[in-house]
Amino acid sequence: MMQSTKTTATFLLDKIYGAKLHVLPQGKKAAEFAAKRIQLLIEEGKKPYLIPMGGSSPLGALGYARCGDEIMQYERDNDIRFEKVLLPNGSSGTHAGLAAGFVTRGRSPTIIRSYSVLGEQEQAVQQTLKLANDALALVGASEIAPNQIDVDGNHRGEGYGIPTAEALEAIASLAQSEGILLDPVYSAKAFAGMLHDIAAGGFVEGANLLFLFTGGGPGVYAYRSAFDF
């Protein structure tokens, strides 16, 4: 993991659970370190398994393909049809897996709109597309076309893990109105993006929208200094 000047919620939980951490100096690429670490463990006779950031591998993405089944089952049980499913996009596994799941059930992946919190928009689109198609290849399904992946890169702010004013406003608004706690890194930026799109008339009036909350609420405690309370 990259060295940071503050202890994030994830870092704290890693320490509590006794994980062995490798803190890298600024500029050191985690992927390169991980590859060398894997090779060393193999040479020691161990059988390591490298899980990419966010668990965003083709196999990992298929976990969210099942989420697509749950969404469609909810629609059938409640006689409702969602026009859009909205979610954050970090390492792209959630969007890619959900898109793959919809495709295998005959549903267009254009129903999904994600908001990038990590990469630039075009980078996020390409990463999501590749991951979705790699996941579909595992189950022998047809590929998704580039124009079927919708990612908005306008709400990530200065970069990953750096809260935006609109994200902080979204956290306070939802907490005070619904008692639901978003996190500043992922869900709050996506929720703020959704609110922006609603205000801008981006959806048909009265449309059924589903916001997919991917968790991370405890992360808000690591950003207490960002709130003007």
Side-chain angles (χ1 to χ4, degrees), residues 94-105:
T94 305
H95 187 158
L98 195 57
F102 280 140
V103 166
T104 59
R105 296 296 184 264

Side-chain angles (χ1 to χ4, degrees), residues 3-141:
Q3 191 173 35
S4 175
T5 55
K6 64 184 176 183
T7 299
T8 65
T10 303
F11 185 88
L12 178 59
L13 290 174
D14 286 340
K15 296 286 286 185
I16 291 174
Y17 282 106
K20 184 175 182 180
L21 305 176
H22 299 271
V23 180
L24 307 183
Q26 188 70 30
K28 182 75 171 180
K29 294 183 178 180
E32 292 180 358
F33 174 85
K36 291 179 180 178
R37 181 68 181 164
I38 286 289
Q39 185 58 42
L40 177 61
L41 291 172
I42 291 174
E43 291 172 359
E44 292 177 353
K46 298 178 181 178
K47 297 180 179 179
Y49 181 77
L50 180 61
I51 300 174
M53 183 175 65
S56 296
S57 65
L59 182 61
L62 287 178
Y64 257 100
R66 295 293 299 274
C67 178
D69 286 342
E70 293 181 22
I71 290 171
M72 287 183 280
Q73 184 62 53
Y74 181 89
E75 289 178 319
R76 291 189 292 270
D77 291 345
N78 294 275
D79 192 24
I80 191 173
R81 181 83 168 184
F82 292 115
E83 280 74 32
K84 280 291 180 181
V85 179
L86 308 152
L87 59 145
N89 188 321
S91 53
S92 302
T94 305
H95 187 158
L98 195 57
F102 280 140
V103 166
T104 59
R105 296 296 184 264
R107 190 82 168 266
S108 173
T110 57
I111 185 179
I112 309 165
R113 178 173 174 79
S114 67
Y115 301 88
S116 181
V117 302
L118 178 58
E120 297 285 352
Q121 181 168 312
E122 186 56 31
Q123 175 190 354
V125 169
Q126 293 303 319
Q127 181 170 291
T128 303
L129 177 65
K130 183 180 186 309
L131 189 54
N133 284 333
D134 287 348
L136 286 168
L138 292 178
V139 294

